[in-house]
Amino acid sequence: MSKTPIIALVTDFSLNDPYIGIMKGVILEINPNVIIVDLAHDLPKFNINFAAFVLLTSYKYFPKGTIFVCVIDPGVGTKREAIIIKTKNYIFVGPNNGVMSLAALEDGIIEIRKIENKEYMLKRVSYTFHGRDIFSPAAAWISRGVPIETFGRILDRKDFVSIKISKPVIEDGVFVAEALAIDGFGNIITNIRGGDFLKTEKFGYRYCIIVNGKNYFARFARTYGDAQKNETILLIGSHEYVEIAVNMGSAAERLGINIGDKIKIIRLELCKNPKI
Amino acid sequence: MSKTPIIALVTDFSLNDPYIGIMKGVILEINPNVIIVDLAHDLPKFNINFAAFVLLTSYKYFPKGTIFVCVIDPGVGTKREAIIIKTKNYIFVGPNNGVMSLAALEDGIIEIRKIENKEYMLKRVSYTFHGRDIFSPAAAWISRGVPIETFGRILDRKDFVSIKISKPVIEDGVFVAEALAIDGFGNIITNIRGGDFLKTEKFGYRYCIIVNGKNYFARFARTYGDAQKNETILLIGSHEYVEIAVNMGSAAERLGINIGDKIKIIRLELCKNPKI
Amino acid sequence: MSKTPIIALVTDFSLNDPYIGIMKGVILEINPNVIIVDLAHDLPKFNINFAAFVLLTSYKYFPKGTIFVCVIDPGVGTKREAIIIKTKNYIFVGPNNGVMSLAALEDGIIEIRKIENKEYMLKRVSYTFHGRDIFSPAAAWISRGVPIETFGRILDRKDFVSIKISKPVIEDGVFVAEALAIDGFGNIITNIRGGDFLKTEKFGYRYCIIVNGKNYFARFARTYGDAQKNETILLIGSHEYVEIAVNMGSAAERLGINIGDKIKIIRLELCKNPKI
């Protein structure tokens, strides 16, 4: 196999801190023949669920064999394990706190190993930056062909921390959902799967959206540009979840919403006060 | 030709969204032997003129043959075409909305093709993320040597959407200009070409600048450090347009200016209220 | 030696400006066989001390031979020299303003050269963007094997601008320190070396921290996760300086502190008003 290995980084580190750059230095020191890709950085600090969702919606676009290093790690230096997950098509390296669980479970976990072998860590392991001292070195050594058995014992599957995406309650044109993520455009990504929404809903239907006690109107559209400028719309986003968007504007700003907030979406014919 | 091809990305995607990372995954899946460069991201959302200017002032610093992928695409999923522009020295891939027009026209357009051939798109093309589904794959396939004729029909030049940089009105020491861009330092880049300014103006001349009804004094200087700390200056920026700057500070903040705002620059001897 | 050379970039340029991308284009034009790494960007504008500290805490994690290009350069275009520093293990390229001095002095300076030879600059050198016109080209040519003697004369060591990290005053459980840096998590990095702190202090000791006339309690902990959620702690950070942190929160926000502010840390048994 002569293909250059790929290491993709997902962190909640800020781009104006040196932490991401340091991780790259550490990787290149161990394996200069690697392609390092910034998948996403500066994710909401300490928010494991959000990062897990980001990873879930992205990992499959990377070539098979890609090694993902995931450093959303509020428990760094405590007794949470450092782990390597081998899935059907990929390798994930990071803390055992759930951040890699959505993607790994979707792809199919083959084996989970603890990173215990100090030979494959930096000489001095800090209590506060395992992205540098443990995870990046592990990924770099794996990219050089070190088998994952070498790193440590198997993690018992019952000790694997996994998280779940909350499920919306769907009933007859009424969707009680949650804001999973807000992107840089202010698009609000809900936990309603596009496929589930399409079972009963059609492009052009109108809805009222209730967030924090306030009502908003929206039309179900195919894409942003199908709406009037500044119109609020519902659409199936590129991640295949239902998304609330404002054409050429920010839905998050208009709705004053935060990640985790409840969202009620009611088809207009069912809405009590359709004029409000 | 054994040179590694270069794909440079320009987007209005946020760096803490996974969208840019996903595009890189898609490219590497098609062509792992490519150098991906972040030209600029997180540009003002939906602002085609701004991104076109960024591309205009940057493209020529890249090696010949570089493929630019430009995703400022508020019309994604509507009937605006996805296009490939072959210019004298470069390839541009993106939406037909003007974002690539300033750079492409300056370099000299040879041919414009529509991207229509589904063989070179991702299997599922969404309505909302053509950066992932159409533009990145096209760029990656081009980098692998697929000739651009393969992607689709020629776009008639009359259907090519191009934008223009507004021209300042220059008359005898009075410049009625516009803020084309504001950079991260708060430097205000006007639409006055450095060469035009130098025809009549000299280093050391003094000016009053009128923005939104307020007056500011400025000296024409060679560079930031030639001014006093916090002094407002005019200079010819690295992009060769006249720029308003504050040494060690932010001109945009001082002048309270936004992109697109009018700027009147009057040589001081002509200024009505030079003491104000 | 067939190893691909590494060029690492440190700048105060914003990631949504094209300046960093342009520098990469310039480098790749001269040497396409180079690995370009973003060490850190968007550092506090014009803040030479801060960037020098960032470089000091990062450089040693990069492979030997890495070429660092450092563009924190408020004096661009003035008479401050453009220099190349060859140290024991690395090369640093940037302005002679102190930004590279902490790292270079720690690693051990072998030789400093001025960049004077116009053959290794871009054809047109602006007064405002030497990152593009002088530093990036120099780094790229060095990565291609051009010996540093070729670039210009030796800089006399007495003309080398170096800065110093302020030293804390440490006396019997009282530390009068300074905020050297604040990272993206809001962790406050002080100028107290971890080793010096550990000489007298122990994990679990309690302190009052006085900043801008206000008192805060903190415990000395090994890592963030050893604290209660929202607890203020002192710890030895990954850079080996004492850091003030809030578990799952921002210490900088809680203490309302800025870079350069004085910090008094008093072991609790010595604190006059331990109940406040």
Side-chain angles (χ1 to χ4, degrees):
Chain A
M1 264 276 301
S2 70
K3 240 175 144 185
T4 311
I6 297 169
I7 295 178
L9 309 178
V10 185
T11 76
D12 61 354
F13 297 148
S14 297
L15 290 142
N16 52 4
D17 279 328
Y19 304 138
I20 304 162
I22 287 173
M23 286 173 59
K24 293 176 183 178
V26 167
I27 290 169
L28 291 169
E29 166 75 21
I30 295 168
N31 188 2
N33 295 311
V34 78
I35 298 168
I36 302 174
V37 180
D38 296 301
L39 203 177
H41 295 297
D42 202 14
L43 294 180
K45 309 292 181 204
F46 321 122
N47 193 328
I48 291 164
N49 286 34
F50 187 95
F53 179 73
V54 159
L55 196 58
L56 173 67
T57 59
S58 335
Y59 80 93
K60 58 177 95 58
Y61 292 100
F62 282 76
K64 291 179 184 185
T66 296
I67 302 160
F68 296 91
V69 179
C70 309
V71 194
I72 289 84
D73 193 15
V76 60
T78 63
K79 63 189 187 318
R80 69 97 190 88
E81 297 91 350
I83 57 172
I84 299 166
I85 310 175
K86 188 178 162 51
T87 66
K88 224 178 122 212
N89 299 294
Y90 300 99
I91 304 272
F92 297 87
V93 180
N96 182 23
N97 65 10
V99 68
M100 308 179 288
S101 63
L102 294 176
L105 286 164
E106 185 183 84
D107 196 49
I109 296 176
I110 291 174
E111 193 175 280
I112 308 174
R113 291 269 168 184
K114 298 186 230 181
I115 311 179
E116 299 170 316
N117 189 337
K118 288 193 194 318
E119 253 185 77
Y120 298 105
M121 302 178 185
L122 290 203
K123 248 176 239 141
R124 287 187 65 156
V125 174
S126 71
Y127 284 95
T128 56
F129 190 7
H130 288 186
R132 175 190 72 189
D133 305 334
I134 296 180
F135 303 132
S136 292
W141 286 113
I142 294 168
S143 77
R144 277 187 54 176
V146 173
I148 69 165
E149 306 86 73
T150 322
F151 288 88
R153 288 166 293 170
I154 283 186
L155 182 86
D156 204 291
R157 285 295 281 278
K158 72 173 184 353
D159 296 329
F160 178 56
V161 177
S162 67
I163 60 169
K164 279 205 176 63
I165 294 185
S166 62
K167 295 251 177 272
V169 179
I170 303 181
E171 220 174 280
D172 211 19
V174 180
F175 302 79
V176 182
E178 195 188 303
L180 279 190
I182 293 165
D183 75 10
F185 292 100
N187 297 323
I188 302 158
I189 297 149
T190 74
N191 59 346
I192 309 167
R193 305 287 311 226
D196 293 340
F197 197 70
L198 281 172
K199 277 181 197 160
T200 53
E201 310 308 304
K202 288 202 167 48
F203 294 119
Y205 279 15
R206 305 182 78 85
Y207 299 83
C208 70
I209 301 173
I210 306 176
V211 170
N212 296 324
K214 285 197 183 149
N215 290 11
Y216 307 86
F217 286 104
R219 197 162 45 98
F220 181 28
R222 218 181 309 259
T223 186
Y224 313 107
D226 283 350
Q228 304 295 315
K229 198 177 160 176
N230 279 317
E231 188 185 344
T232 308
I233 53 171
L234 292 169
L235 51 78
I236 316 276
S238 62
H239 29 65
E240 310 206 334
Y241 285 83
V242 171
E243 184 178 306
I244 306 170
V246 166
N247 186 28
M248 309 285 280
S250 164
E253 226 169 73
R254 175 167 299 170
L255 275 63
I257 203 171
N258 292 309
I259 295 169
D261 281 359
K262 287 282 163 224
I263 301 168
K264 203 164 179 177
I265 300 173
I266 310 176
R267 204 187 304 134
L268 205 58
E269 64 202 66
L270 308 166
C271 184
K272 293 247 168 83
N273 293 307
K275 291 286 151 62
I276 289 164
Chain B
M1 264 276 303
S2 71
K3 239 176 146 183
T4 310
I6 297 168
I7 295 178
L9 309 178
V10 185
T11 76
D12 60 355
F13 296 147
S14 297
L15 290 142
N16 53 3
D17 280 328
Y19 304 138
I20 304 162
I22 288 172
M23 287 174 59
K24 292 176 183 177
V26 167
I27 290 169
L28 291 169
E29 165 75 20
I30 295 168
N31 189 2
N33 295 310
V34 78
I35 298 167
I36 301 174
V37 180
D38 296 303
L39 203 176
H41 295 296
D42 203 13
L43 295 180
K45 309 291 182 206
F46 321 121
N47 194 329
I48 291 164
N49 286 33
F50 187 95
F53 179 72
V54 159
L55 196 57
L56 173 67
T57 58
S58 334
Y59 80 93
K60 58 178 96 59
Y61 291 100
F62 282 76
K64 291 182 185 183
T66 295
I67 302 160
F68 295 91
V69 179
C70 309
V71 194
I72 288 84
D73 192 14
V76 59
T78 64
K79 62 188 191 315
R80 69 98 191 87
E81 297 91 350
I83 58 172
I84 298 165
I85 311 174
K86 188 177 161 51
T87 66
K88 225 178 122 211
N89 299 296
Y90 299 99
I91 304 273
F92 297 87
V93 179
N96 182 22
N97 64 11
V99 68
M100 308 178 288
S101 62
L102 294 176
L105 286 164
E106 184 183 86
D107 195 49
I109 296 177
I110 292 174
E111 194 176 278
I112 308 175
R113 292 269 168 184
K114 297 185 230 181
I115 311 179
E116 298 170 317
N117 189 338
K118 288 193 193 319
E119 252 186 76
Y120 298 105
M121 302 177 185
L122 290 203
K123 249 177 236 141
R124 287 188 64 156
V125 174
S126 70
Y127 284 95
T128 56
F129 190 6
H130 288 185
R132 175 190 71 188
D133 304 335
I134 297 180
F135 303 132
S136 292
W141 286 113
I142 293 167
S143 78
R144 277 187 54 176
V146 172
I148 70 165
E149 304 86 73
T150 322
F151 288 88
R153 288 166 294 172
I154 283 185
L155 181 86
D156 205 291
R157 286 295 281 278
K158 73 173 184 354
D159 296 329
F160 178 56
V161 177
S162 67
I163 61 170
K164 279 206 176 63
I165 293 185
S166 62
K167 294 250 176 275
V169 179
I170 302 180
E171 220 173 280
D172 211 18
V174 179
F175 302 79
V176 183
E178 195 188 304
L180 279 190
I182 294 166
D183 74 11
F185 292 99
N187 297 324
I188 302 159
I189 297 148
T190 74
N191 59 346
I192 309 166
R193 306 287 313 228
D196 292 341
F197 198 70
L198 283 172
K199 277 181 198 160
T200 54
E201 310 308 304
K202 287 201 166 52
F203 293 119
Y205 279 15
R206 305 183 77 85
Y207 301 83
C208 70
I209 301 174
I210 306 176
V211 171
N212 297 324
K214 286 195 182 151
N215 290 11
Y216 307 85
F217 285 103
R219 198 162 45 97
F220 181 28
R222 219 181 310 258
T223 185
Y224 313 107
D226 282 351
Q228 304 295 315
K229 197 176 163 178
N230 279 318
E231 187 185 346
T232 307
I233 52 172
L234 292 169
L235 51 78
I236 315 277
S238 63
H239 30 64
E240 310 207 334
Y241 285 82
V242 171
E243 184 178 306
I244 306 170
V246 167
N247 186 28
M248 308 286 280
S250 165
E253 225 169 75
R254 174 167 300 170
L255 275 63
I257 203 170
N258 292 307
I259 295 169
D261 282 358
K262 287 281 162 226
I263 301 168
K264 202 163 179 177
I265 299 172
I266 310 175
R267 203 188 304 134
L268 205 58
E269 65 204 62
L270 308 167
C271 184
K272 292 251 168 79
N273 294 308
K275 290 286 152 64
I276 290 167
Chain C
M1 266 276 302
S2 71
K3 239 176 147 183
T4 311
I6 297 169
I7 295 178
L9 310 178
V10 185
T11 75
D12 61 355
F13 296 147
S14 298
L15 290 141
N16 53 2
D17 279 328
Y19 304 139
I20 304 161
I22 288 172
M23 286 173 59
K24 293 176 182 177
V26 167
I27 290 168
L28 291 169
E29 166 76 20
I30 295 168
N31 189 2
N33 295 311
V34 78
I35 298 168
I36 302 173
V37 180
D38 296 302
L39 203 175
H41 296 296
D42 203 15
L43 295 180
K45 309 291 182 206
F46 321 123
N47 193 328
I48 291 164
N49 285 34
F50 187 95
F53 179 72
V54 159
L55 196 57
L56 173 67
T57 58
S58 337
Y59 80 94
K60 58 178 94 60
Y61 292 99
F62 283 76
K64 290 182 184 184
T66 295
I67 303 160
F68 295 92
V69 179
C70 310
V71 193
I72 288 84
D73 193 14
V76 59
T78 63
K79 63 188 189 314
R80 68 98 191 88
E81 297 92 349
I83 58 172
I84 298 165
I85 310 175
K86 188 179 162 51
T87 66
K88 223 178 123 212
N89 300 294
Y90 300 99
I91 305 273
F92 298 87
V93 180
N96 182 23
N97 65 12
V99 69
M100 309 179 288
S101 62
L102 294 177
L105 286 164
E106 185 183 84
D107 195 50
I109 296 177
I110 291 174
E111 193 176 280
I112 308 175
R113 291 269 168 183
K114 297 186 230 181
I115 310 179
E116 299 169 316
N117 189 339
K118 288 194 194 318
E119 253 184 78
Y120 299 105
M121 301 178 186
L122 291 203
K123 248 178 236 139
R124 287 189 64 157
V125 174
S126 71
Y127 283 95
T128 56
F129 190 7
H130 288 185
R132 175 189 73 189
D133 304 334
I134 296 180
F135 303 132
S136 293
W141 286 113
I142 293 167
S143 77
R144 277 187 53 176
V146 173
I148 70 165
E149 305 85 75
T150 322
F151 288 88
R153 289 166 293 171
I154 283 184
L155 182 86
D156 205 293
R157 285 295 281 278
K158 73 172 185 355
D159 297 327
F160 178 56
V161 177
S162 67
I163 60 170
K164 278 206 177 64
I165 293 185
S166 62
K167 294 249 177 278
V169 179
I170 303 181
E171 219 172 284
D172 211 17
V174 179
F175 302 79
V176 182
E178 194 188 305
L180 278 189
I182 294 166
D183 75 11
F185 292 98
N187 298 324
I188 302 159
I189 297 149
T190 74
N191 59 346
I192 309 167
R193 305 288 312 228
D196 292 340
F197 198 70
L198 283 171
K199 277 180 199 161
T200 54
E201 310 307 305
K202 287 201 167 50
F203 295 119
Y205 279 15
R206 305 183 76 85
Y207 299 83
C208 70
I209 302 174
I210 306 176
V211 171
N212 296 324
K214 286 195 183 149
N215 289 13
Y216 307 86
F217 285 104
R219 197 162 45 98
F220 181 29
R222 218 181 309 258
T223 185
Y224 313 107
D226 282 351
Q228 304 296 315
K229 199 177 160 176
N230 279 318
E231 187 185 345
T232 307
I233 51 172
L234 292 170
L235 50 78
I236 315 277
S238 62
H239 29 65
E240 311 206 333
Y241 285 82
V242 171
E243 184 178 307
I244 306 169
V246 167
N247 186 26
M248 309 284 280
S250 165
E253 225 169 74
R254 175 167 299 171
L255 275 62
I257 202 170
N258 292 307
I259 295 168
D261 281 0
K262 287 281 163 225
I263 301 168
K264 203 165 179 176
I265 300 173
I266 310 175
R267 204 187 304 134
L268 206 56
E269 65 203 66
L270 307 167
C271 185
K272 292 250 168 79
N273 294 306
K275 290 287 150 63
I276 289 167

